[in-house]
Amino acid sequence: MNVAVSLLRILSIYCVIAVHAHGNFARTDVAVPLFMSLSFYFSGDKLVTGSNLNRRLIRIGIPFCGWGIIYSVYALFSNHEFGWWWLRGMIEQLLLGHTFAPHLYFLWLLASYTIVLWLIGQFSQGKAMWWFGIFAFLCLILQWTGINFSLCDRLPYFMRYTIGRFVELMPYAFIGCFAGNKCCISCKLRWSLIALLAIGIMMVKILGRHIVVKGFGYSTFWVYLFVPICMLSLDYASHLVRKFLPKTEWLNFMGGLVPGVYFIHLLFVFMLSDYISEGLSLIVFLLSFLAVALLSRVPALRMLVR
């Protein structure tokens, strides 16, 4: 595994936990877009051909349904009341992933983007990356013209964020595919894009970095510039990390646990937030990694956390 990918995953998951634990962490709106790009960094080419489609959908579907049920059961026992509210909530959770476990919408989007990319690959005649880029650009236009928000904001709560973020996060899925595709991007082009994006961020800072349109959490302009820089720099960053950290096995091990940490961390937030305020983010971070490391050793539970 690319050691820079592991490091970026670990930093991103801490940002996500900090937000959910009501911590004060600057620029946490970049964490989920980075996760989305990283999710397609290694797998874009395989998904276009369909060689990895069934395996990926199974790996997404099992934790989506499994953790959806776990969080639904926790909600039932927390409220000590069984009724239609719970049955409806569980159905909504298993449909779109944004009721009892609102963070699982990410898996719904992963599955959706996976299918979209595969469909593009079936009909693009070898130009899947170009068509995927056009589709992502159209999503960007829908987001930045406010059309996406105005349409999705009228939907019921359990649908609003998942459907709205389908358009909002689509460009990040393309960024991951593009950055990970070594055939369509040369070293010279990679550095040129990094330089242009860096200049863009500086211009945003000079002109006013709060350039943003109404969205569902991830439409800040600087994030659309910062995430590509991170993704395009991963190979170079990996060499730097290995230079300063000769032994990186532990980093790759922790990076492999991050998906499970994402699934389980909100459970610890729910259980501990009434009792702990100071340092909750760090405590949940450590407990989540420990729990996933233990659960991943049980063969029957491995698919839930890895």
Side-chain angles (χ1 to χ4, degrees), residues 51-274:
S51 61
N52 202 31
L53 180 66
N54 292 336
R55 182 170 177 266
R56 185 174 175 90
L57 290 177
I58 290 171
R59 290 190 66 181
I60 294 171
I62 289 176
F64 179 79
C65 295
W67 286 105
I69 293 171
I70 290 170
Y71 278 93
S72 297
V73 172
Y74 177 81
L76 176 63
F77 281 96
S78 298
N79 288 275
H80 306 289
E81 181 183 352
F82 179 82
W84 170 243
W85 69 271
W86 182 79
L87 290 173
R88 184 182 65 185
M90 185 174 181
I91 293 170
E92 293 172 351
Q93 177 65 49
L94 295 177
L95 282 176
L96 289 171
H98 200 273
T99 307
F100 296 131
H103 63 311
L104 295 184
Y105 79 90
F106 186 87
L107 291 176
W108 189 93
L109 292 184
L110 270 187
S112 300
Y113 296 159
T114 296
I115 294 170
V116 166
L117 187 54
W118 174 76
L119 287 172
I120 291 174
Q122 301 306 299
F123 299 102
S124 62
Q125 299 179 345
K127 296 183 179 180
M129 196 59 63
W130 287 100
W131 284 107
F132 192 32
I134 292 170
F135 186 66
F137 183 68
L138 291 174
C139 289
L140 193 63
I141 292 174
L142 288 173
Q143 178 61 31
W144 274 83
T145 54
I147 295 173
N148 180 51
F149 182 82
S150 62
L151 290 175
C152 295
D153 194 47
R154 305 171 187 175
L155 296 172
Y157 174 78
F158 84 98
M159 300 174 64
R160 185 183 312 153
Y161 286 91
T162 303
I163 303 298
R165 284 171 178 166
F166 176 86
V167 170
E168 192 172 65
L169 290 170
M170 175 65 77
Y172 301 113
F174 168 72
I175 289 167
C177 287
F178 180 75
N181 191 317
K182 303 299 188 294
C183 298
C184 70
I185 180 168
S186 64
C187 182
K188 185 177 180 180
L189 177 59
R190 188 178 293 267
W191 279 109
S192 299
L193 289 172
I194 290 172
L196 285 172
L197 291 164
I199 292 171
I201 286 183
M202 287 188 288
M203 292 300 295
V204 169
K205 187 172 183 180
I206 293 170
L207 298 174
R209 58 185 175 181
H210 299 296
I211 303 173
V212 65
V213 295
K214 285 186 177 181
F216 298 95
Y218 309 109
S219 56
T220 308
F221 189 71
W222 85 276
V223 177
Y224 283 117
L225 298 173
F226 180 74
V227 171
I229 291 178
C230 291
M231 299 307 299
L232 291 167
S233 306
L234 281 176
D235 286 341
Y236 312 116
S238 181
H239 292 304
L240 288 175
V241 173
R242 289 183 184 279
K243 184 177 180 180
F244 292 100
L245 293 174
K247 294 183 179 180
T248 58
E249 292 82 2
W250 64 274
L251 203 58
N252 287 332
F253 174 72
M254 288 187 68
L257 299 179
V258 166
V261 172
Y262 182 81
F263 304 147
I264 202 173
H265 79 276
L266 205 55
L267 207 56
F268 286 115
V269 172
F270 290 158
M271 291 188 292
L272 299 176
S273 58
D274 290 337

Side-chain angles (χ1 to χ4, degrees), residues 11-67:
L11 293 174
S12 296
I13 193 60
Y14 183 78
C15 290
V16 170
I17 292 172
V19 171
H20 291 161
H22 307 292
N24 183 18
F25 199 95
R27 292 305 185 193
T28 48
D29 52 353
V30 76
V32 172
L34 277 173
F35 269 136
M36 186 58 71
S37 293
L38 289 169
S39 299
F40 287 90
Y41 184 71
F42 294 113
S43 59
D45 294 338
K46 295 179 181 177
L47 293 175
V48 168
T49 61
S51 61
N52 202 31
L53 180 66
N54 292 336
R55 182 170 177 266
R56 185 174 175 90
L57 290 177
I58 290 171
R59 290 190 66 181
I60 294 171
I62 289 176
F64 179 79
C65 295
W67 286 105

